[in-house]
Amino acid sequence: MTVSDTALRAALRLYPAAYRSERGAELSTVFAETTAGAGAGACLREAFDLGAYGLRLRLGLTPAGLPGRALAAAAPFAVGAAAGQAGLVLAVTAKEGAPGLDASRSMWALLMLLSVLPLASLAAALFGNWRPARLLALPSVTVVPAAAVLGYWAATGAVPPFSVLAAVSAFSVPGVLWSLAVPAAPADLLGRVSRLGRSAMLAGLLFGFVGSGVQGLTRIGSAGGPASAPVLVLGLGLAVMAFLGARRGQVAPLALLLAVLPSGLGIVAGELAGNLRASLALLPVVLVVGVGVAVALRSTRERSPAGPEAALPSVE
């Protein structure tokens, strides 16, 4: 079996079973014609694109799927919130200074660059250009972990201990999820930004800055922390609203849940990093919220109207 055959089989496995049974042969034919005479690298790229579309179909992240439309609706808030958290890192770095700057100038230059990327993505998105937010998502999610590792190393000359890495990783959860929301949303739905979209971006910017600051002060800088129960109860309420709205084909409740859920997950991650035993009490609520979100997404895929996902993905 060639590399091309193995890649094609792996890509087709990502498609829903019914879709694969109906159109798998046609997809295989198009793939074979497109990659005829191509090298292994080109075959892998085509298989990646083919599989990525199959995964979108499976998750409902298409322009016709309700999860895809909800994620696109939440994207303006998400790109603003990710920039807000990165802006907080940038502000703290500027205020506190860079320890060991003379000895580790390149480290801090990298940190400053990583902190600016989400802000640059937000600036472009404000004018309807979503390409930077999609391209810079992966480097943007490294802002907080890089700040921890480089900052600790510059100050002490040593690698941060596990407790510091765990706390900072928990702090970075919301920013990671917000940054990845844009590339996960259907590109066809991320076009011109309305006045409401710009307002959502600015609201997300404020939410990400203030919310991340509170989380950072309570979970990283001190022993105490905010009460997680109210936040999780709010998350549970939003999950119920999203489920009921999804049954009616409504986008707004699910979009609201996807916009604010990263912040709640960040608090849960902070609890887990800070006190594993105490955080076990939160698991029932977390599981209920998680199941509610999964059921809501499942029901939306089943109720999605026929649309772009009925067409074959382009592998050219």
Side-chain angles (χ1 to χ4, degrees):
M1 183 177 293
T2 64
V3 173
S4 177
D5 294 334
T6 303
L8 175 61
R9 291 185 62 180
L12 291 179
R13 293 295 299 174
L14 295 175
Y15 281 77
Y19 190 97
R20 187 170 62 247
S21 299
E22 180 182 353
R23 303 201 173 192
E26 189 174 355
L27 287 173
S28 299
T29 300
V30 173
F31 180 84
E33 293 175 351
T34 304
T35 59
C43 292
L44 290 176
R45 285 194 299 270
E46 297 294 345
F48 177 83
D49 292 339
L50 186 67
Y53 188 82
L55 189 60
R56 282 191 175 276
L57 281 178
R58 186 177 288 275
L59 298 177
L61 297 178
T62 59
L66 190 54
R69 288 184 285 143
L71 197 55
F77 182 92
V79 72
Q85 187 180 62
L88 174 67
V89 174
L90 196 61
V92 170
T93 302
K95 180 177 183 298
E96 300 296 332
L101 180 61
D102 294 336
S104 18
R105 187 178 301 274
S106 60
M107 296 182 196
W108 286 101
L110 175 60
L111 171 58
M112 300 292 281
L113 173 62
L114 290 173
S115 300
V116 168
L117 293 182
L119 295 170
S121 299
L122 173 62
L126 281 169
F127 295 96
N129 184 1
W130 291 95
R131 186 174 178 81
R134 299 178 71 87
L135 294 179
L136 300 178
L138 290 180
S140 294
V141 302
T142 65
V143 168
V144 177
V149 175
L150 297 180
Y152 194 93
W153 190 5
T156 66
V159 177
F162 177 78
S163 58
V164 173
L165 290 176
V168 173
S169 297
F171 176 77
S172 67
V173 166
V176 169
L177 296 178
W178 281 322
S179 294
L180 295 179
V182 175
D188 293 343
L189 300 182
L190 297 178
R192 182 175 176 272
V193 180
S194 64
R195 181 178 300 178
L196 179 60
R198 292 190 180 92
S199 299
M201 290 180 188
L202 297 178
L205 180 67
L206 180 62
F207 183 88
F209 188 92
V210 175
S212 298
V214 171
Q215 181 188 358
L217 288 173
T218 54
R219 281 294 158 208
I220 298 177
S222 64
S228 300
V231 176
L232 292 175
V233 170
L234 175 62
L236 177 59
L238 291 175
V240 172
M241 289 176 55
F243 172 73
L244 295 177
R247 300 299 296 177
R248 297 179 175 87
Q250 297 173 346
V251 173
L254 185 57
L256 179 61
L257 175 65
L258 294 174
V260 301
L261 185 62
S263 182
L265 293 178
I267 291 177
V268 172
E271 293 285 352
L272 290 171
N275 189 338
L276 181 60
R277 179 173 298 179
S279 64
L280 292 177
L282 302 175
L283 287 181
V285 180
V286 174
L287 289 175
V288 171
V289 174
V291 170
V293 173
V295 171
L297 293 175
R298 178 79 178 177
S299 65
T300 60
R301 292 203 306 273
E302 293 173 351
R303 295 170 60 87
S304 295
E309 66 261 57
L312 289 176
S314 174
V315 293
E316 298 182 356

